[in-house]
């Protein structure tokens, strides 16, 4: 079950849409039994069309296709596109319809991004299905094979059941035979687990990262587009840097899709850098990727490690313990860092006063709004 470690897995990093989109589409084309597709943000457009066409084709050749979409995130996914899928035989379920007058309940969103093929291959990462992701933004996905794929499927089924209790969609995701046991028996491959989060009720992704940082021996490298960290995460990053660990933070730079989020995150730069954390802002485009490396432990998935992810959302990340995968992750980081601008602490201290005021105001407002420590 998810949150438990399994052996005998294979993980492959697929940086940039030109790598992960064809890989996911090929996997859908090759599906024989089932496709489980869970996504937060899905908007009609060219990117969505690629997936709709592949999913509809799969459905027409008898593959069971299930889409679990977040109601809020899918508001730009047009009815005619939904019809194309359902007319081909796919089943769509919307997670947590907005309930007027029930703000707290409505804030819970399904932020996960996953694709599971025939219970033997899965994909997760930060990607969403909008044209920005295809043409302009940078993201990273991991392809997953091995026993841990069953845990991704189980997580999907759980969310599907809970969403359907409210909507009474009759069919349920099928289970099919997979090759996981062969792979497990072979003993080859990497150790991995699915870590998930359900708002404040269950925060394993958050605590897992914090535990790893607290016991790091060499490096703590974190990449997130929306750096709105909890106090506990900041404290652990600073403590690690103070005891000589190589702590680096890679965040989105000037091409941010929500500039105010960037300025809010900058509120924390001075203290982090004073503790020894090195901060980089990605330059070529907006990076929406979410992955971390702590020694030989890695995590990649939907979680932004921000208040929103931790307080309200359903999240899911792939965690891996493997020196081979850590090597790949390190190379990915190094490639991204080479395209980033490192913040110079002295130059930062001399930035215009109005910028510091802007960060302070936004940072204070954020702290008051979230009240999550
Ligand atoms: O919530 P995320 O991390 O999937 O990001 C979604 C887009 O940034 C919305 O602007």
């Amino acid at each position: 079950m998810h949150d438990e470690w399994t052996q005998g897995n294979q993980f492959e990093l697929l940086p940039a849409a030109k790598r992960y989109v064809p890989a996911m589409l090929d996997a859908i084309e090759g599906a024989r039994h089932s496709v489980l597709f869970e996504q937060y943000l899905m908007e009609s457009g060219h990117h969505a069309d690629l997936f709709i066409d592949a999913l509809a084709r799969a459905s027409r050749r008898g593959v069971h296709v299930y889409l679990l979409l977040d109601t809020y995130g899918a508001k730009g996914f047009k009815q005619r596109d939904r019809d194309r899928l359902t007319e081909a035989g796919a089943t769509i379920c919307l997670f947590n319809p907005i309930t007027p007058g029930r703000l707290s309940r409505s804030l819970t969103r399904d932020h996960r991004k996953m694709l599971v093929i025939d219970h033997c291959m899965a994909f997760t990462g930060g990607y969403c299905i909008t044209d920005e992701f295809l043409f302009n933004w940078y993201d990273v996905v991991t392809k997953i094979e091995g026993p841990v794929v069953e845990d991704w499927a189980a997580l999907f089924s759980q969310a599907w059941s809970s969403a359907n209790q409210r909507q009474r969609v009759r069919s349920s995701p099928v289970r099919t035979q997979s090759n996981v046991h062969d792979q497990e028996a072979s003993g080859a491959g990497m150790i991995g687990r699915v870590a998930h989060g359900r708002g404040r009720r269950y925060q394993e992704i958050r605590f897992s990262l914090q535990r790893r940082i607290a016991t790091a021996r060499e490096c703590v490298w974190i990449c997130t587009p929306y750096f709105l960290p909890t106090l506990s995460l900041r404290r652990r990053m600073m403590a690690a840097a103070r005891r000589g660990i190589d702590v680096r933070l890679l965040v989105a730079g000037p091409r941010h899709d929500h500039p105010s989020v960037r300025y809010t995150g900058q509120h924390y730069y001075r203290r982090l850098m004073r503790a020894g954390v090195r901060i980089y802002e990605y330059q070529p485009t907006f990076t929406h990727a979410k992955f971390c490396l702590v020694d030989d432990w890695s995590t990649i998935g939907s979680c932004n490690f921000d208040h929103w992810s931790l307080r309200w959302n359903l999240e899911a990340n792939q965690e891996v313990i493997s020196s081979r995968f850590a090597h790949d992750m390190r190379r990915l980081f190094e490639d991204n860092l080479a395209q980033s601008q490192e913040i110079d602490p002295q130059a930062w201290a001399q930035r215009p006063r109005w910028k510091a005021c802007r960060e302070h105001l936004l940072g204070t407002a954020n702290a008051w709004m979230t009240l999550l420590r």
Side-chain angles (χ1 to χ4, degrees):
M1 195 45 189
H2 39 80
D3 291 336
E4 289 174 15
W5 294 97
T6 61
Q7 297 187 4
N9 302 291
Q10 298 296 333
F11 304 101
E12 182 187 357
L13 286 171
L14 302 169
K18 66 176 188 290
R19 293 274 313 275
Y20 67 76
V21 171
M24 290 195 286
L25 294 174
D26 283 353
I28 295 169
E29 297 292 357
R32 288 182 297 143
H33 305 289
S34 66
V35 176
L36 314 178
F37 180 96
E38 188 169 341
Q39 181 54 259
Y40 167 63
L41 190 58
M42 181 133 181
E43 282 178 10
S44 293
H46 181 60
H47 195 178
D49 282 343
L50 295 174
F51 278 84
I52 293 166
D53 290 345
L55 291 167
R57 273 196 296 273
S59 205
R60 283 198 197 94
R61 63 176 188 271
V63 175
H64 299 278
V65 176
Y66 298 90
L67 292 93
L68 179 56
L69 305 176
D70 183 77
T71 304
Y72 178 78
K75 64 186 189 310
F77 189 43
K78 293 182 177 145
Q79 188 59 47
R80 65 157 197 267
D81 288 331
R82 300 177 193 205
D83 292 345
R84 283 163 64 197
L85 284 161
T86 51
E87 282 161 15
T91 310
I92 301 178
C93 176
L94 294 177
F95 180 85
N96 197 15
I98 312 286
T99 318
R102 302 192 68 176
L103 179 66
S104 174
R105 183 171 193 150
S106 297
L107 287 174
T108 300
R109 307 296 359 143
D110 183 353
H111 192 247
R112 296 170 183 165
K113 302 104 179 18
M114 79 167 90
L115 172 66
V116 182
I117 309 290
D118 292 340
H119 287 244
C120 38
M121 184 188 292
F123 297 83
T124 194
Y127 70 97
C128 299
I129 309 294
T130 77
D131 283 352
E132 277 95 355
F133 281 84
L134 191 62
F135 299 120
N136 301 319
W137 293 356
Y138 177 77
D139 215 317
V140 180
V141 163
T142 185
K143 178 178 164 189
I144 304 158
E145 291 171 284
V148 78
V149 174
E150 286 292 357
D151 297 339
W152 281 102
L155 201 61
F156 180 94
S157 294
Q158 220 173 52
W160 180 272
S161 303
S162 105
N164 282 311
Q165 272 166 14
R166 299 179 70 194
Q167 291 174 47
R168 302 199 181 134
V169 174
R170 266 204 295 269
S171 55
S172 64
V174 290
R175 290 185 68 83
T176 57
Q177 202 59 38
S178 74
N179 62 352
V180 296
H181 302 299
D182 298 343
Q183 293 191 25
E184 202 167 20
S186 78
M190 307 180 207
I191 301 172
R193 71 164 188 163
V194 182
H196 76 287
R198 276 185 294 138
R200 294 181 91 161
R201 283 174 295 165
Y202 190 75
Q203 302 188 38
E204 181 54 20
I205 298 182
R206 173 191 183 185
F207 295 135
S208 179
L209 177 66
Q210 292 184 176
R211 283 195 302 269
R212 293 284 162 181
I213 295 174
T215 56
R217 286 171 284 107
E218 287 173 21
C219 76
V220 173
W221 291 4
I222 297 173
C223 174
T224 176
Y226 305 118
F227 184 62
L228 300 176
T230 58
L231 179 61
S232 49
L233 177 59
R234 296 197 312 271
R235 278 187 173 151
R236 278 167 181 79
M237 290 171 70
M238 291 191 289
R242 284 194 197 101
R243 63 172 203 277
I245 308 298
D246 176 4
V247 183
R248 302 189 198 195
L249 172 68
L250 171 59
V251 292
R255 293 164 189 258
H256 208 295
D257 71 329
H258 298 299
S260 63
V261 174
R262 177 177 176 231
Y263 305 141
T264 308
Q266 288 176 339
H267 177 58
Y268 307 109
Y269 282 11
R270 188 178 60 88
R271 282 192 177 179
L272 288 166
M273 288 192 292
R274 207 165 55 188
V277 176
R278 295 176 68 180
I279 301 177
Y280 299 77
E281 290 187 338
Y282 191 73
Q283 300 296 311
T285 182
F286 173 55
T287 176
H288 187 262
K290 314 141 190 333
F291 53 93
C292 309
L293 172 68
V294 180
D295 300 336
D296 62 356
W297 174 91
S298 312
T299 184
I300 176 168
S302 64
C303 186
N304 286 314
F305 299 104
D306 66 346
H307 290 284
W308 204 265
S309 279
L310 301 172
R311 189 178 177 119
W312 302 112
N313 291 340
L314 267 65
E315 304 282 356
N317 271 38
Q318 178 64 60
E319 293 187 0
V320 182
I321 298 177
S322 155
S323 50
R324 187 151 42 101
F325 192 72
H327 173 77
D328 294 346
M329 191 63 106
R330 180 176 274 270
R331 286 186 57 181
L332 175 68
F333 258 110
E334 285 168 350
D335 177 63
N336 281 209
L337 292 174
Q339 300 180 69
S340 304
Q341 185 179 331
E342 182 168 6
I343 305 295
D344 173 53
Q346 286 186 340
W348 187 254
Q350 285 161 17
R351 70 197 184 288
R353 201 169 161 73
W354 66 269
K355 287 191 175 178
C357 286
R358 178 177 66 187
E359 293 149 24
H360 179 73
L361 286 174
L362 287 166
T364 306
N366 177 58
W368 276 99
M369 266 189 324
T370 53
L371 290 174
L372 180 66
R373 289 291 184 265

